[in-house]
């Protein structure tokens, strides 16, 4: 059946949906009639009701006789997310599993949280090097580095901290979807924000690593001189001094002192690598 014959056979317009042939615009542009100039037959239709500006699955309204079960197919719906309207999720045939097979590893996010000076960046860099020596692809999202670019418009107020973590969580999710082992190293002081990032990923793909180091140890290290400035009142809202840090309640990995001695970077990285190995992230 050609397109014009099919169009002539269409049932009466749906009064319930307020649709007429003139009020239907195809998602790619054009109308039902204009499409017939380009194609002799059609296998699916996703259109827009110009009366309501909403996406419609035309296959459920006008089943095509040449395709069995045509009317049962569910096509992408237009959605609104935040301030973005009239958007569609674009599916691609090449998925996460294909990328993981290519890399011979499973994508995940290793989220390292803790006070300033607790050793987050040290662990992130050592872990990244250890994974590299094993032939595993990883990428580090460092909190300070990201504030040089992606998050340079954010300060350290509670709402800015939340937005900072939200952005990093979304980027980390993309890296994990690409099949990489994403290592995010941020103070991320608020439990709610970390849990929100966890919810972005499938179960077990978000691995929270808590650098549980005492405040006095972190302050004694003070590698960036920030604690000294905070104690002098020159930095306001500094985590651990005049702004709270909420420790994880159920983290996957906790790194802390043993008999008052901090573990070496290699030992800490080895603890994380062992977890990744046991959970199957280093194989596809």
């Amino acid at each position: 059946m050609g397109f014009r014959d099919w169009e002539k056979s269409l049932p009466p317009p749906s009064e319930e949906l307020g649709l007429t042939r003139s009020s239907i615009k195809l998602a790619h542009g054009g109308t039902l009639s204009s499409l017939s100039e380009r194609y002799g037959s059609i296998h699916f239709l996703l259109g827009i009701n110009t009366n309501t500006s909403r996406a419609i699955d035309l296959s459920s309204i006008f089943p095509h006789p040449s395709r069995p079960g045509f009317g049962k197919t569910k096509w992408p719906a237009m959605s609104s997310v935040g301030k973005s309207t009239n958007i569609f999720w674009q599916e691609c045939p090449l998925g996460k599993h294909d990328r993981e097979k290519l890399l011979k590893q499973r994508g995940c996010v290793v989220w390292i949280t803790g006070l300033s000076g607790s050793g987050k960046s040290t662990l992130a860099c050592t872990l990244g090097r250890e994974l590299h020596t094993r032939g595993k692809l990883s990428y580090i999202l460092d909190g300070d580095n990201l504030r040089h670019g992606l998050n340079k418009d954010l300060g350290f107020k509670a709402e800015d901290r939340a937005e900072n973590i939200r952005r990093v969580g979304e980027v980390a999710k993309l890296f994990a979807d690409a099949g990489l082992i994403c290592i995010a190293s941020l103070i991320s002081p608020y439990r709610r924000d970390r849990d929100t990032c966890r919810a972005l990923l499938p179960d077990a793909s978000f691995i929270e690593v808590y650098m549980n180091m005492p405040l006095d140890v972190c302050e004694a290290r003070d590698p960036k001189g920030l604690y000294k400035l905070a104690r002098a009142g020159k930095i306001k809202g500094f985590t651990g001094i005049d702004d709270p840090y909420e420790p994880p309640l159920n983290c996957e990995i906790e790194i802390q002192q043993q008999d008052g001695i901090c573990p070496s970077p290699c030992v800490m990285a080895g603890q994380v690598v062992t977890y990744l190995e046991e959970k199957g992230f280093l194989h596809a």
Side-chain angles (χ1 to χ4, degrees), residues 57-279:
D57 176 10
L58 297 181
S59 64
S60 63
I61 303 170
F62 306 131
H64 191 281
S66 69
R67 181 175 176 183
F70 177 69
K72 299 179 181 179
T73 304
K74 298 298 182 181
W75 301 106
M78 185 185 293
S79 60
S80 297
V81 181
K83 296 181 180 179
S84 298
T85 59
N86 303 334
I87 57 175
F88 295 82
W89 182 265
Q90 178 62 54
E91 292 289 350
C92 297
L94 190 68
K96 179 182 179 182
H97 181 66
D98 301 294
R99 294 185 284 271
E100 290 177 332
K101 287 177 62 178
L102 180 67
L103 296 172
K104 295 181 175 60
Q105 62 185 51
R106 287 171 52 206
C108 64
V109 174
V110 177
W111 191 281
I112 307 174
T113 176
L115 293 171
S116 178
S118 61
K120 299 182 302 299
S121 295
T122 299
L123 171 57
C125 293
T126 307
L127 175 60
R129 178 171 292 278
E130 177 61 26
L131 291 171
H132 182 78
T133 61
R134 291 170 175 251
K136 304 304 174 184
L137 187 59
S138 66
Y139 193 84
I140 298 172
L141 298 177
D142 180 84
D144 277 7
N145 290 357
L146 290 169
R147 283 182 176 273
H148 282 77
L150 177 66
N151 295 333
K152 65 182 180 181
D153 60 324
L154 300 175
F156 291 91
K157 294 180 180 179
E159 56 270 27
D160 282 358
R161 286 179 180 270
E163 174 60 15
N164 177 55
I165 299 306
R166 188 196 69 80
R167 293 183 191 179
V168 178
E170 291 287 355
V171 173
K173 175 186 174 181
L174 295 177
F175 273 108
D177 186 64
L180 276 68
I181 298 172
C182 180
I183 306 168
S185 171
L186 305 95
I187 293 175
S188 44
Y190 306 137
R191 193 176 297 123
R192 178 185 60 188
D193 296 335
R194 297 193 303 268
D195 289 344
T196 298
C197 292
R198 178 187 291 274
L200 293 173
L201 287 98
D203 290 343
S205 293
F206 185 92
I207 302 149
E208 191 172 29
V209 180
Y210 174 31
M211 301 296 293
N212 186 6
M213 297 295 163
L215 175 61
D216 60 338
V217 171
C218 298
E219 190 168 359
R221 292 173 176 172
D222 201 11
K224 303 171 185 176
L226 298 178
Y227 282 102
K228 184 177 181 180
L229 293 175
R231 291 293 187 187
K234 297 181 180 180
I235 297 179
K236 300 297 184 181
F238 191 76
T239 302
I241 303 301
D242 56 353
D243 202 67
Y245 177 83
E246 300 172 355
L249 298 178
N250 294 292
C251 61
E252 281 71 20
I253 301 173
E254 182 175 357
I255 295 177
Q256 54 189 332
Q257 292 180 321
Q258 299 295 331
D259 298 324
I261 300 175
C262 297
S264 69
C266 289
V267 170
M268 294 190 296
Q271 189 174 339
V272 179
V273 169
T274 297
Y275 180 93
L276 295 174
E277 183 76 50
E278 291 175 349
K279 300 299 181 180

